[in-house]
Amino acid sequence: MAKQRIKKQNGNTLFKSASELVAGYCLTANYGKEQAKAEGGTGKKVYLIGRPLASGNVSLVRYSVTNGERQRESTGKVLRVELDATIKAENKEIVRQERALCDELEKELFLSGTDFVASTRGNVMLSDFLCPDSEIKTSQLDSVSRLMKSLVGHVKVYGDVKVRDVSESWVKGFTKYLKNDAVRLSVKDKSKAQKLSQNTQNKCLVVLSVALNKAVEEKRLRVNPCQFLSKKERIGTQESTRCYLEIGEVGKLVNTDCEGDAQGYDIKPAFLFCINVGLRFSDVVKLRMCDFIQDENGTCIDIVMQKTKEPLRVYVSDYALSLLPKVEDVTKPVFRLPSNKTANFWLNEWVKAAGITKHVTFHVSRHSCATLLLSNGQPLQNVQAQLGHTNSATTEIYAKLVNSARKRTANAMDSIMTNIR
């Protein structure tokens, strides 16, 4: 049966549709399954299948049998509808070359005695490949490394595998786990742990895909299975809601003592400084007096942002300068601050004492800086520069928040005027 099909392929008949191309060159799924008879059998484990395209052409996909499970990768080659003998000859040569490559891969598998990836480099566990420095404390890592460490934790919860065994079904299963079962691993009492937000799920999947691309480059993995996730299976992003403080709430904080400062920290001045300047916690915790520069326009901060590694130069108001504690060593941090987690604890105690019911983290100071500047008429480009945003779309999120607040104010005025009538 197979010989008859191959003989048909060598004929001069022109295949003028996708279905004729698939059948004529023996690229059907059933034919592929016939070649790969069974796990451990004598059938071929690497073969081609044709996927019809909307254009009428056919895309060639290479299938491999791994541990009884099929994996696929695009060859990047396309067979065109055969309008003449020239296209026929081109198609035959493409199929010949791709089948020759399949035969080479087949030999590689046989000689290596492995099932799919011949190189022993694929034997490393996925968790070790993702984060070899997983023992380092989370507080000592940057945001990307922290996300990678979190991803490693979820991989271990779902089911760690060797890099070479990361298959399409494993990735699909892991994606379902992120959507339905994954919770924040930092919470010790899992009964109180929150599910991962959709944006965190998205970031985990993106980081995993980037890492698997690297594994492919290093020949630890034949193909990145993430590319085979359908649009429905992928995890999109949601526009996040951003908490910020209004000017009246900032005033309450100014007039309320912070208990954390009594513990030897500078929570209050550092947070108010960030509201005025817009620095992230990772930047203010390392801010030194030698980072301040005086020029003809005033005093500015000249630093490289920890998160983005981009330079930032912003001017500082007199009020912000008045918040700086006196330090003797200009090369040491200006503010005495604990870890971000501890800082947020004392921050929330201070917020409660001020009678504010919002859940506030240190990063809210940055959101507040943006919304306060935009609310007071500062141009979007100026606010973008102040916060060090490389993309104006990020700054525009705050503009939407401000416009939404203004709309609510207008609606409130409608209610007020209705009561007057």
Side-chain angles (χ1 to χ4, degrees):
M1 184 100 166
K3 289 182 179 178
Q4 291 177 347
R5 287 171 179 164
I6 292 174
K7 184 175 181 181
K8 185 177 180 181
Q9 173 193 329
N10 294 329
N12 294 319
T13 303
L14 298 181
F15 303 131
K16 298 185 177 181
S17 69
S19 59
E20 288 183 8
L21 285 167
V22 170
Y25 287 107
C26 304
L27 299 170
T28 64
N30 286 337
Y31 181 63
K33 291 176 182 178
E34 288 175 17
Q35 290 185 298
K37 295 177 182 178
E39 182 181 4
T42 58
K44 291 179 68 65
K45 291 187 177 182
V46 185
Y47 52 89
L48 290 177
I49 285 181
R51 293 297 184 198
L53 302 174
S55 61
N57 297 332
V58 170
S59 172
L60 293 184
V61 179
R62 185 183 304 112
Y63 274 71
S64 303
V65 177
T66 308
N67 299 324
E69 170 182 307
R70 290 196 305 171
Q71 297 190 42
R72 58 181 175 175
E73 61 180 314
S74 173
T75 65
K77 301 296 177 64
V78 173
L79 302 183
R80 294 188 293 156
V81 172
E82 297 172 349
L83 303 178
D84 53 44
T86 301
I87 298 177
K88 176 75 176 181
E90 291 174 353
N91 284 347
K92 288 174 70 172
E93 180 60 16
I94 289 173
V95 172
R96 186 195 69 78
Q97 290 180 1
E98 290 304 316
R99 283 215 162 100
L101 178 57
C102 287
D103 291 340
E104 289 180 15
L105 295 173
E106 188 84 21
K107 289 179 183 178
E108 181 182 313
L109 301 182
F110 176 77
L111 293 174
S112 66
T114 60
D115 198 22
F116 184 50
V117 180
S119 172
T120 56
R121 302 187 72 194
N123 285 330
V124 65
M125 297 303 291
L126 178 60
S127 59
D128 293 331
F129 174 71
L130 290 172
C131 193
D133 298 323
S134 58
E135 298 304 316
I136 297 177
K137 291 183 179 180
T138 303
S139 59
Q140 297 173 340
L141 301 172
D142 59 29
S143 58
V144 175
S145 298
R146 285 198 297 272
L147 180 60
M148 184 66 82
K149 189 172 181 178
S150 174
L151 172 61
V152 168
H154 288 295
V155 165
K156 289 181 177 179
V157 171
Y158 174 70
D160 203 0
V161 293
K162 292 180 179 179
V163 172
R164 57 179 289 169
D165 294 329
V166 179
S167 63
E168 183 178 345
S169 63
W170 187 93
V171 168
K172 288 184 176 181
F174 182 69
T175 303
K176 288 181 180 179
Y177 156 79
L178 290 176
K179 288 180 177 179
N180 304 320
D181 303 315
V183 297
R184 293 179 61 186
L185 300 177
S186 58
V187 181
K188 293 182 179 180
D189 186 351
K190 299 307 176 187
S191 64
K192 298 180 180 179
Q194 295 178 327
K195 290 187 65 174
L196 294 187
S197 69
Q198 185 171 325
N199 287 346
T200 301
Q201 296 170 24
N202 169 267
K203 288 177 183 177
C204 282
L205 202 57
V206 168
V207 171
L208 175 65
S209 184
V210 170
L212 293 182
N213 281 336
K214 181 182 178 183
V216 172
E217 291 175 6
E218 295 178 356
K219 301 190 184 304
R220 299 176 187 269
L221 187 66
R222 182 81 66 193
V223 63
N224 181 355
C226 290
Q227 66 179 291
F228 299 119
L229 290 174
S230 66
K231 186 175 180 180
K232 185 177 180 180
E233 291 168 328
R234 294 179 185 277
I235 303 173
T237 57
Q238 281 184 328
E239 186 172 309
S240 58
T241 56
R242 305 200 175 195
C243 175
Y244 63 92
L245 296 173
E246 298 177 3
I247 190 63
E249 293 169 323
V250 175
K252 289 181 180 180
L253 291 178
V254 170
N255 295 311
T256 305
D257 291 333
C258 177
E259 188 179 345
D261 290 2
Q263 307 300 316
Y265 299 125
D266 293 320
I267 305 294
K268 180 174 180 177
F271 187 75
L272 293 176
F273 182 86
C274 288
I275 288 179
N276 280 266
V277 181
L279 293 186
R280 298 181 180 89
F281 180 83
S282 57
D283 293 322
V284 75
V285 76
K286 294 186 176 182
L287 188 65
R288 306 162 301 170
M289 284 307 302
C290 58
D291 294 323
F292 289 81
I293 298 173
Q294 190 78 28
D295 64 16
E296 65 276 6
N297 296 313
T299 304
C300 64
I301 296 172
D302 193 356
I303 61 172
V304 174
M305 292 181 287
Q306 295 295 311
K307 180 180 179 179
T308 63
K309 308 305 178 188
E310 294 287 335
L312 175 70
R313 184 167 182 151
V314 292
Y315 285 91
V316 185
S317 68
D318 290 338
Y319 177 79
L321 290 173
S322 72
L323 295 168
L324 299 176
K326 292 182 179 180
V327 293
E328 295 181 0
D329 189 343
V330 297
T331 64
K332 294 295 176 90
V334 175
F335 297 105
R336 296 167 299 172
L337 292 170
S339 67
N340 189 267
K341 182 178 180 180
T342 303
N344 284 333
F345 169 78
W346 289 115
L347 175 60
N348 267 287
E349 292 297 306
W350 176 33
V351 167
K352 290 176 186 175
I356 300 170
T357 58
K358 294 178 179 177
H359 176 70
V360 179
T361 64
F362 224 95
H363 201 70
V364 168
S365 63
R366 186 168 165 84
H367 299 330
S368 303
C369 176
T371 52
L372 288 172
L373 289 173
L374 290 168
S375 296
N376 284 275
Q378 288 299 308
L380 191 70
Q381 294 83 352
N382 291 3
V383 179
Q384 180 182 348
Q386 182 75 23
L387 298 182
H389 287 157
T390 55
N391 189 341
S392 61
T394 306
T395 319
E396 287 171 358
I397 294 173
Y398 298 107
K400 290 179 182 178
L401 291 175
V402 171
N403 289 337
S404 177
R406 286 172 174 167
K407 177 60 177 176
R408 288 196 299 272
T409 300
N411 291 342
M413 185 57 71
D414 278 343
S415 177
I416 292 169
M417 296 307 294
T418 299
N419 292 331
I420 292 175
R421 293 171 190 165

